[in-house]
Amino acid sequence: MDKQKLPPNLVDSVKHALAEDVGSGDITAQLIAKDTKANAQVISREQAILCGTAWFEETFKQLDSQVQITWYVKDGETINPNQLLCKLTGSAQALLTGERTALNFLQLLSGTATQVRYYVETISGTHARILDTRKTLPGLRHAQKYAVRCGGGTNHRMGLYDAFLIKENHILAAGSITKAIAVAKHHAPDLPIEIEVETLEQIKEALQAGADSLLLDNFTLLQLREAVTLVQGRLKLEASGGVTLKTIRAIAETGIDFISVGAMTKNIRAVDLSMRMQS
């Protein structure tokens, strides 16, 4: 998906986040006169990849459509310490009420995009591409998948409905790799089929049965190279399992097509950003 294509559930995500935070009303912001206007700005405190501007804007839009935001940087761009990211003008109540929700989205998604960029840059110059997984924060999968694209990564399937990923237990239940693939092709012939394999013999069976790609889970570097040699580009190969920034370069250099990393969307540290009101 195009990194600029925003998720269809963005508005609802913000609505739920505001409901969680504001509840029946922001009693502290109500101490400020309703017609009071204010200015604010958001500053970065560290180097990162910016992501989440649309969620930030939508937060204030839902609180008060008259709030104006001017951005000086776009999603996917690098930000540096003490850099001015945007300025806001509008209702003081709206700015105060939306601050935390808006920053939560911006900090979390920027943290995701930044983490992805580390992995992407580490394997730069190789054939491999970085894939995300379903290991996302509940309720924020679409948003984090967008952040992965902003960081330079590639989206895997969105969920359990848009692609087959036939793992060991599926194969056992179906009877064999060949049988599982046959049923998948009959059930949804237009959807891609990926098979988790553990041996070279299973790779041969999956090739014969017509799989689109293979998941090589916890393969050694030697096994990955053997798989690449055996397949010879006839289908895509994905390496997964225990991938870290220290090990990913060696994995990429085996000639694998994709490397999936759950930590990019699961083990996230929010980027340090600050929103300050101005007189």
Side-chain angles (χ1 to χ4, degrees), residues 106-245:
L106 199 64
Q107 291 177 293
L108 171 68
L109 297 182
S110 294
T112 302
T114 302
Q115 187 74 1
V116 172
R117 185 65 60 85
Y118 291 149
Y119 284 94
V120 169
E121 290 179 344
T122 301
I123 66 167
S124 176
T126 71
H127 167 73
R129 287 191 288 169
I130 300 296
L131 280 182
D132 56 23
T133 71
R134 288 166 47 237
K135 295 178 180 178
T136 53
L137 301 182
L140 289 175
R141 177 165 300 169
H142 285 82
Q144 286 194 285
K145 292 274 189 177
Y146 171 83
V148 167
R149 300 195 299 275
C150 286
T154 301
N155 292 151
H156 202 296
R157 58 179 180 163
M158 184 61 68
L160 298 172
Y161 54 86
D162 58 339
F164 290 102
L165 179 48
I166 302 172
K167 295 191 173 186
E168 179 183 8
N169 286 336
H170 299 106
I171 294 169
L172 289 172
S176 69
I177 288 175
T178 301
K179 290 180 180 179
I181 292 176
V183 174
K185 287 181 176 291
H186 175 76
H187 181 71
D190 296 330
L191 294 182
I193 301 172
E194 183 171 14
I195 302 288
E196 181 182 35
V197 295
E198 298 179 337
T199 66
L200 294 180
E201 288 303 313
Q202 286 187 328
I203 293 176
K204 294 176 182 178
E205 183 182 357
L207 278 168
Q208 184 67 31
D212 296 301
S213 59
L214 301 180
L215 174 63
L216 312 177
D217 192 29
N218 288 304
F219 271 43
T220 66
L221 295 178
L222 175 60
Q223 290 172 324
L224 290 175
R225 285 191 287 269
E226 290 175 341
V228 170
T229 299
L230 175 61
V231 169
Q232 294 184 334
R234 286 175 286 177
L235 46 66
K236 298 298 183 181
L237 298 177
E238 173 191 344
S240 181
V243 178
T244 69
L245 285 170

Side-chain angles (χ1 to χ4, degrees), residues 249-260:
R249 179 78 191 188
I251 294 172
E253 290 174 344
T254 66
I256 212 79
D257 298 294
F258 298 104
I259 305 173
S260 54

Side-chain angles (χ1 to χ4, degrees), residues 74-92:
K74 299 177 181 178
D75 282 359
E77 294 183 349
T78 300
I79 58 177
N80 296 299
N82 301 314
Q83 181 175 347
L84 174 63
L85 305 184
C86 70
K87 289 185 177 180
L88 304 91
T89 301
S91 161

